[in-house]
Every structure is written in structure tokens, then in C-alpha cells.
């Protein structure tokens, strides 16, 4: 047998190299390269290259296909994020930082399905069975017929799954704790995590079981992150949120059976995660209308409109290089916006520290938030509050023009529903607004907004 060659794998992105180095050349993370022994044939069931294959029949694109059967959990925020429930035979990865609530939601899901007379198995590798029972008691779910086991040995888990006649849902909490005898690498390394995922996904596909895998996101890079298995599963969800606040957002980043960019909003309470059916009310709940630097953004998250407050604070800086800090938005987007404000509107922020925050812990990825962010910045600089009854949306181009964005009607309807009377929005794009009772302030250029707010001479007045 040929001598096994040692390889080195980055525990953050999974890149494989032949040499150790302090920094991964692929993802630029430090101290993530670990020596691993790739024992491909040790993975039970993997094909030996020596075996000869058979020619398979090829088919056309047209033909019969069946709608995939779905298990509706009854937790509406989760079902929507999944595209209408768990697809039988699919593998779903739930990533998130420790303590965010992954185990809590999975216990709630398994109990919900078990209560519908479905077979739900929960394998915990992170905690002892007693800890899971304690959580179940806290959530008042201890009577649900969930089948629980504290196990980390992959072979035992696979054998248990085989012994069960039929399973609807299998939960693995977490994928990083699993280990397989056949592999020399330590649990949590890329080799182990990948091999375990591969075996479990194969089992799920073969038996039509929905598989939910927990993947911890780690900053230290000591164990392989969920990124290394994202390509092996059908759906990837990330659980986000500020641990200091009760709101949790479940976001789809990949979904073979539904739309991406869909979010589910939850609130962590004394009895687990509660669904938040109207997130706009939640995000605007603590609003301090009438404060300078606050603008309400009419955003879209997947198929759902969400109103959220964007807060800016612009203060004279005593530093040589003024501070720029952003929470919940893109830093480079802010830099672009500041440059456009300066070049196209004469609003000079070079001598100011700029802080931008999206309220409620939401992360905004849409470029349509540009106009709201710009309005918040200008309002703070002028120390002049924006009208409390107005929402803002529109993408800003480098030329200072305000570009059209999608889902205009959805955004306006949500704004109207929450009592807003006016929307500052792009000038282009026709709209069937007969059904709406909201005043539209069309903004063609960013300088128009500055003028509209009476802030057009800011550059000179401050
Ligand atoms: P957990 O689900 O264990 O997080 P993860 O599996 O992602 O590591 O959630 C842990 C946190 O949630 C913990 O700090 C306690 C809190 N929590 C509540 O506030 N209410 C509850 O009902 C439960 C079960 C947990
Ligand atoms: Mg956990």
C-alpha cells in the first residue's frame, strides 16, 4: 500500500494544502490550518476506485416529477424560512454562534413533530441527556414523545437509525462533536465533519428522513465551521442575533427547496423561542420619533416587507482619521454613501465621526437601504429630526441618482399598515397606487432629498 500523504486543511474554509502555514491562503484566517490524514477508503461505503462502474441510462429534461413531500412543523416562522416545511429526505444545516438558541429551536421542532405522531430522534453530543431533559421541562415539552440519545459515535448513530423502522426527523446537535473510528483526525476537524455529514446525508436521502444538523460558528477556528459542509446539504440556515437582546433571526442562505434571503423572527423568552408574526412592529417598538438621525427604512427580507429604524450619529471628530462604525450594515456601503454625499450634495463629513446602527439587531443587505441611511446621516449632521410619518427606500448610485428598487408596492403597503403617511422613494417606475393612501415623495437625486429636508447647504453651514 502506498504511503499515506499528510495534508493540511483550513478549519475555517476547508481549503487543503500540502504545507502548514500560519495563515490560510484561501480565506486569510490565522491559525486555522491543521494537519489531517485523509483516509478516503476508511469512510464506510465509499466506492473503491478499483471497482468497475456500469453505464447508466441518460434522460432528457422534460418528464415527470413529483412535488417533494413536506413536514409542516407548525412553527410558522420556521416553515416559511424552509419554503413551506421540512422536505422529507433533505439535509438542513443550522449554523450560529454558541448560545444563540439552536438547541432550543431544534427541541421545539422535534417536539412539534413528535406531537403530530411523527418519529423524531434527537442526538445530542454537546450536552448530557439530563440537560436536554431540563430544557424540555423548561419549555414544557417533556411530555412530547421525542426519542433522545446522548451520542457522538457516528457508527452507533447510523446503526440506531437503521434499527428504527421509520424516522421522520433526525437532529444532530452538533455535527462538530461527531467522530468516526475509521478516521485518524480529531472530532471537529474538516475530515471528521465532512465524513459524518456525508454518511448522514446519504442515510437521509435513502430513507426519506429530514435531517437537521447543528453547526457552530467559531471565531477561534479550532473546530471546523459550518462552511465546510454547506455544499453537502440542501438548505443552510443561520441563526443570528445579539445575545444581549431577545430577538433572534433565522436566515436562509441556501435552499434547494425554496427561496433564499427569507427570514424568520423569534423572541427568546422564559419558555423558549416565540414566533414574532409582525417584525416591523417589533423593530419600530422602541422608536424615539423626533430624534435627529433616525430614519425608518421600508425594507424587504425575502418575500416579506420589514420596517426598521436606521440610526445615525454624526459628531465633530477630534481624531486625525475620523471614526466610522457600522452595526447591521455594510461598512463599504457607508464609505460609498459618504463619498456620494460629499461629491454630489456638498455635505462634507471629513471632520466628523460617523456611527450607523440598524435598530433591533437586524442585518440589512439590501442596497435599497441607501436612501434611509443617507437621510439619517443628513438629519444627524443637521441636528434636525426627520418627519416621523415618513419611510425611506431607494438605491443610490455613484452619480448621486436614486435608483428604482423592487417590491415597491409591498413596501408601501407595509408602511401604510403601520400608520406611515409618506414615503420618500425613487422617482422612476410607474406604480398602481390607487389602493394606497400614502403620499409618495419621489426623489430623483440625493441632492433633492437634501433640499427637501432643508439640509442642502450643510457643507457650508457646519
Ligand atoms: P441554546 O439553545 O442552548 O443555544 P445553542 O444551542 O445555540 O448554543 O440557548 C442558550 C441560551 O438561551 C441560554 O443562554 C439560555 C437561553 N434560553 C432562554 O432564554 N430561554 C429558554 O427558554 C431557553 C431554553 C434558553
Ligand atoms: Mg446547543
Amino acid at each position: 500500500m502506498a504511503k499515506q500523504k499528510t495534508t493540511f486543511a483550513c478549519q475555517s474554509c476547508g481549503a487543503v494544502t500540502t504545507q502548514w502555514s500560519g495563515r490560510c491562503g484561501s480565506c486569510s484566517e490565522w491559525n486555522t490550518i491543521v494537519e489531517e490524514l485523509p483516509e478516503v477508503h476508511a469512510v464506510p461505503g465509499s466506492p473503491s476506485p478499483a471497482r468497475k462502474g456500469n453505464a447508466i441510462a441518460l434522460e432528457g429534461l422534460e418528464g415527470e416529477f413529483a412535488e417533494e413531500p413536506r413536514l409542516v412543523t407548525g412553527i410558522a416562522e420556521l416553515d416559511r424560512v424552509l419554503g413551506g416545511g421540512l422536505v422529507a429526505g433533505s439535509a438542513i444545516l443550522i449554523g450560529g454562534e454558541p448560545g444563540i438558541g439552536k438547541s432550543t429551536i431544534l427541541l421545539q421542532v422535534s417536539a412539534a413533530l413528535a406531537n403530530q405522531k411523527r418519529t423524531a430522534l434527537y442526538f445530542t453530543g454537546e450536552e448530557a441527556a439530563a440537560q436536554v431533559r431540563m430544557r424540555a421541562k423548561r419549555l414544557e415539552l417533556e411530555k412530547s414523545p421525542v426519542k433522545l440519545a446522548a451520542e457522538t459515535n457516528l457508527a452507533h448513530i447510523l446503526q440506531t437509525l437503521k434499527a428504527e423502522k421509520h424516522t421522520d426527523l433526525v437532529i444532530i446537535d452538533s455535527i462538530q462533536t461527531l467522530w468516526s473510528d475509521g478516521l485518524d483526525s480529531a472530532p471537529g476537524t474538516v475530515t471528521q465533519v465532512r465524513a459524518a455529514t456525508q454518511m448522514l446525508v446519504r442515510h437521509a436521502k435513502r430513507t426519506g428522513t429530514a435531517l437537521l444538523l447543528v453547526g457552530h460558528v467559531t471565531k477561534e477556528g479550532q473546530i471546523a465551521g459550518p462552511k465546510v459542509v454547506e455544499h453537502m446539504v440542501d438548505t443552510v440556515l443561520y441563526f443570528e442575533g445579539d445575545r444581549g437582546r431577545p430577538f433572534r433571526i433565522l436566515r436562509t442562505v441556501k435552499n434547494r427547496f425554496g427561496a433564499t434571503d427569507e427570514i424568520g423572527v423569534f423572541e427568546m423568552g422564559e419558555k423558549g423561542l416565540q414566533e414574532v408574526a409582525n417584525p416591523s412592529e417589533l423593530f419600530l417598538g422602541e422608536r424615539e420619533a423626533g430624534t435627529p438621525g433616525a430614519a425608518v427604512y421600508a425594507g424587504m427580507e425575502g418575500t416579506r416587507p420589514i420596517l426598521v429604524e436606521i440610526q445615525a450619529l454624526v459628531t465633530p471628530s477630534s481624531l486625525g482619521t475620523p471614526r466610522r462604525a457600522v452595526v447591521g450594515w455594510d461598512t463599504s456601503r457607508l464609505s460609498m454613501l459618504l463619498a456620494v454625499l460629499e461629491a454630489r450634495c456638498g455635505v462634507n463629513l471629513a471632520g466628523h465621526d460617523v456611527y450607523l446602527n440598524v435598530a433591533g439587531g437586524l442585518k440589512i443587505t439590501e442596497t435599497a437601504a441607501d436612501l434611509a441611511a443617507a437621510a439619517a446621516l443628513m438629519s444627524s449632521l443637521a441636528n434636525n429630526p426627520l418627519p416621523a410619518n415618513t419611510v425611506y427606500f431607494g438605491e443610490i448610485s455613484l452619480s448621486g441618482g436614486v435608483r428604482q428598487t423592487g417590491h415597491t408596492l409591498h413596501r408601501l403597503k407595509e408602511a401604510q399598515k403601520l400608520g406611515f403617511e409618506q414615503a420618500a422613494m425613487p422617482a422612476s417606475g410607474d406604480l398602481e397606487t390607487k389602493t394606497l393612501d400614502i403620499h409618495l415623495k419621489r426623489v430623483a437625486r440625493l441632492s433633492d432629498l437634501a433640499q427637501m429636508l432643508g439640509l442642502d447647504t450643510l457643507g457650508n453651514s457646519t
Side-chain angles (χ1 to χ4, degrees):
M1 202 177 138
K3 192 171 170 285
Q4 280 266 330
K5 232 184 171 172
T6 306
T7 57
F8 297 86
C10 170
Q11 306 299 302
S12 173
C13 70
V16 178
T17 53
T18 50
Q19 256 186 340
W20 188 88
S21 80
R23 188 181 195 185
C24 173
S26 181
C27 69
S28 307
E29 288 284 330
W30 287 93
N31 298 324
T32 55
I33 309 267
V34 169
E35 181 180 343
E36 296 204 348
L37 275 177
E39 288 195 24
V40 182
H41 305 307
V43 179
S46 55
S48 143
R51 208 193 301 158
K52 210 170 158 209
N54 300 322
I56 48 162
L58 302 171
E59 299 172 45
L61 293 177
E62 213 177 21
E64 293 280 305
F65 63 91
E67 274 287 315
E68 58 283 338
R70 289 188 187 258
L71 301 169
V72 178
T73 65
I75 303 173
E77 290 293 299
L78 175 72
D79 287 333
R80 202 195 42 257
V81 164
L82 291 168
L86 293 158
V87 174
S90 73
I92 300 139
L93 175 73
I94 296 197
E97 288 179 16
I100 206 79
K102 300 179 296 297
S103 302
T104 305
I105 195 159
L106 291 185
L107 192 59
Q108 289 179 267
V109 172
S110 50
L113 284 180
N115 288 343
Q116 298 174 27
K117 304 226 163 24
R118 304 275 189 182
T119 319
L121 270 60
Y122 193 119
F123 290 99
T124 171
E126 302 263 325
E127 297 162 304
Q131 273 172 295
V132 179
R133 283 202 196 103
M134 213 154 73
R135 183 179 292 124
K137 191 156 176 58
R138 179 172 182 181
L139 303 175
E140 293 174 1
L141 297 171
E142 74 272 27
K143 297 271 187 296
S144 301
V146 175
K147 297 183 175 184
L148 173 72
E151 186 53 71
T152 54
N153 186 326
L154 181 64
H156 291 338
I157 291 177
L158 288 170
Q159 204 51 43
T160 312
L161 293 180
K162 255 187 216 153
E164 284 286 320
K165 286 213 174 48
H166 174 77
T167 46
D168 292 298
L169 175 70
V170 173
I171 288 170
I172 305 285
D173 188 3
S174 68
I175 189 74
Q176 284 122 340
T177 56
L178 295 190
W179 59 278
S180 175
D181 295 337
L183 302 170
D184 269 353
S185 318
T189 53
V190 173
T191 312
Q192 286 278 7
V193 168
R194 279 203 182 137
T197 307
Q198 188 191 344
M199 299 298 296
L200 287 163
V201 169
R202 192 182 302 167
H203 174 87
K205 299 256 175 266
R206 208 170 39 213
T207 56
T209 307
L211 175 70
L212 268 167
L213 303 168
V214 172
H216 281 301
V217 172
T218 53
K219 296 238 160 61
E220 301 77 34
Q222 289 308 307
I223 56 172
K227 284 255 173 300
V228 302
V229 293
E230 276 187 1
H231 65 284
M232 299 165 82
V233 296
D234 301 301
T235 303
V236 179
L237 308 177
Y238 274 91
F239 222 175
E240 302 169 351
D242 201 339
R243 253 189 284 171
R245 304 175 125 260
F247 315 129
R248 300 283 181 270
I249 291 155
L250 196 59
R251 192 184 287 279
T252 339
V253 293
K254 162 181 171 178
N255 196 353
R256 285 187 186 143
F257 303 109
T260 47
D261 290 329
E262 199 68 74
I263 66 164
V265 185
F266 296 90
E267 190 171 355
M268 181 65 98
E270 267 315 297
K271 289 201 165 56
L273 290 153
Q274 309 297 327
E275 296 173 53
V276 176
N278 194 338
S280 299
E281 272 173 17
L282 177 116
F283 291 128
L284 294 179
E286 297 163 19
R287 205 175 143 217
E288 293 170 52
T291 323
V296 176
Y297 163 53
M300 287 295 293
E301 288 290 346
T303 55
R304 191 161 56 163
I306 288 187
L307 301 194
V308 56
E309 190 178 64
I310 296 188
Q311 305 160 345
L313 181 63
V314 178
T315 54
S317 180
S318 54
L319 302 166
T321 312
R323 203 181 276 269
R324 305 278 182 254
V326 192
V327 179
W329 207 45
D330 188 18
T331 317
S332 46
R333 201 83 206 156
L334 174 68
S335 307
M336 189 207 89
L337 208 54
L338 296 180
V340 174
L341 278 171
E342 184 170 348
R344 312 292 177 199
C345 309
V347 177
N348 192 353
L349 294 159
H352 291 79
D353 288 335
V354 175
Y355 303 91
L356 197 81
N357 177 41
V358 178
L362 190 72
K363 283 199 184 76
I364 296 181
T365 48
E366 260 197 316
T367 51
D370 291 353
L371 196 62
L377 288 167
M378 287 194 271
S379 156
S380 176
L381 180 63
N383 200 23
N384 199 353
L386 296 165
N389 64 351
T390 309
V391 295
Y392 299 82
F393 62 92
E395 181 186 331
I396 292 169
S397 67
L398 288 179
S399 66
V402 180
R403 286 208 200 138
Q404 204 187 333
T405 56
H407 307 285
T408 306
L409 212 51
H410 274 102
R411 298 176 202 266
L412 293 173
K413 275 188 184 155
E414 179 79 357
Q416 186 182 321
K417 197 169 96 190
L418 286 154
F420 287 88
E421 291 155 3
Q422 186 163 265
M425 56 178 279
S428 55
D430 287 333
L431 205 59
E432 188 64 51
T433 50
K434 285 195 201 89
T435 52
L436 288 174
D437 187 23
I438 187 164
H439 180 67
L440 307 184
K441 275 208 169 194
R442 300 285 198 156
V443 187
R445 307 194 55 78
L446 190 54
S447 46
D448 297 347
L449 179 71
Q451 217 166 26
M452 212 156 83
L453 302 171
L455 310 168
D456 51 328
T457 49
L458 275 180
N460 313 323
S461 66
T462 52

